[in-house]
Amino acid sequence: MKKILFYAVTLAACIALVSCEKQGPARFRGYYSFKTGGTVDIKGKVYDIARDTISIDTLVNEYNVGGRTIRDTSYKYHIKADTLSSRDTSFLRQLVAESGQMHILGKDGDEMIVTMNITGGDPVVFSALHRDGNLTLSPTRRMVAVRPDVDENDETVLCDMTVSGSGQRYDNMILFKMDYSGKYSYEDLEGNVSVSRIDCIATENE
């Protein structure tokens, strides 16, 4: 009799636990800390450009110091860039890692809203849809910072891109696979994103 009572109490506790666990869109709602980063492949063209000096302006500045006139000469060069040729190319670029706070809110039914407050950057807002345990982020346009060279970590290029993605929840985390598309242009290189490998890890705030 005691064993039966023990099993009955255990079964009731399990049922209560399952019933209290969040289901559907409610499982994603909440406040999170996130970090996003990865790389993109660019497919496009590299241009061979000749830069010719077409004129030089000579500027003479005079300064009076202690009754003496001192002249300082500077030169301003006017450059004309001519495209000599171009060729197809593909290259890898790294996105500048982003972090900040994410807020996932319910809207109507399976519709949701995801806000990303990026530290030191602009906020981003996605319309989202919950389906079969996945949270799909609808495409939205935003400026994305890209590193033009892996050896020049302080330099960045802002690119106008369309961003979307899909995420699943595991314990207290949501893992998003992000998709970036758009144009890249810097100096003699330009092209479009052909493949993106971007991950976003969102950890629920306690």
Side-chain angles (χ1 to χ4, degrees):
M1 183 67 180
K2 289 182 179 180
K3 288 184 178 180
I4 295 175
L5 182 60
F6 172 77
Y7 288 131
V9 172
T10 302
L11 179 61
C14 291
I15 293 173
L17 183 63
V18 171
S19 63
C20 291
E21 186 176 309
K22 293 181 180 179
Q23 300 293 325
R27 192 162 180 254
F28 288 88
R29 284 202 300 263
Y31 293 88
Y32 301 81
S33 298
F34 76 88
K35 186 169 185 178
T36 301
T39 59
V40 293
D41 290 341
I42 309 292
K43 189 173 182 180
K45 292 183 179 296
V46 57
Y47 295 92
D48 295 323
I49 297 177
R51 294 174 173 86
D52 301 320
T53 302
I54 57 176
S55 65
I56 303 174
D57 294 338
T58 302
L59 303 175
V60 179
N61 300 307
E62 294 186 353
Y63 305 94
N64 194 303
V65 180
R68 297 180 58 186
T69 301
I70 299 175
R71 291 180 174 84
D72 176 49
T73 303
S74 61
Y75 303 93
K76 183 178 181 180
Y77 294 85
H78 297 274
I79 306 296
K80 180 182 179 182
D82 292 322
T83 301
L84 303 179
S85 63
S86 65
R87 62 184 184 276
D88 293 336
T89 186
S90 60
F91 47 95
L92 178 75
R93 287 295 180 264
Q94 181 182 23
L95 269 63
V96 175
E98 297 175 329
S99 60
Q101 295 299 308
M102 177 184 292
H103 190 190
I104 302 180
L105 309 93
K107 192 178 178 183
D108 298 319
D110 290 329
E111 296 180 4
M112 307 192 78
I113 296 174
V114 178
T115 68
M116 297 172 70
N117 186 11
I118 300 170
T119 302
D122 296 330
V124 181
V125 180
F126 292 93
S127 295
L129 186 66
H130 174 268
R131 278 285 188 274
D132 301 324
N134 292 322
L135 186 63
T136 301
L137 306 179
S138 298
T140 188
R141 284 181 61 180
R142 55 163 301 208
M143 300 303 293
V144 178
V146 182
R147 300 195 188 282
D149 194 317
V150 293
D151 296 327
E152 299 178 10
N153 293 328
D154 293 335
E155 191 172 4
T156 61
V157 179
L158 285 178
C159 301
D160 185 3
M161 293 192 179
T162 299
V163 181
S164 59
S166 178
Q168 288 186 316
R169 173 148 184 161
Y170 301 91
D171 294 329
N172 68 331
M173 298 175 62
I174 302 176
L175 303 182
F176 289 95
K177 286 290 184 184
M178 308 297 290
D179 183 63
Y180 284 57
S181 62
K183 186 175 181 180
Y184 173 92
S185 180
Y186 180 74
E187 292 187 345
D188 303 340
L189 292 168
E190 71 173 31
N192 294 285
V193 175
S194 57
V195 179
S196 62
R197 293 171 293 274
I198 313 298
D199 294 308
C200 176
I201 300 173
T203 305
E204 190 169 18
N205 298 332
E206 295 181 356

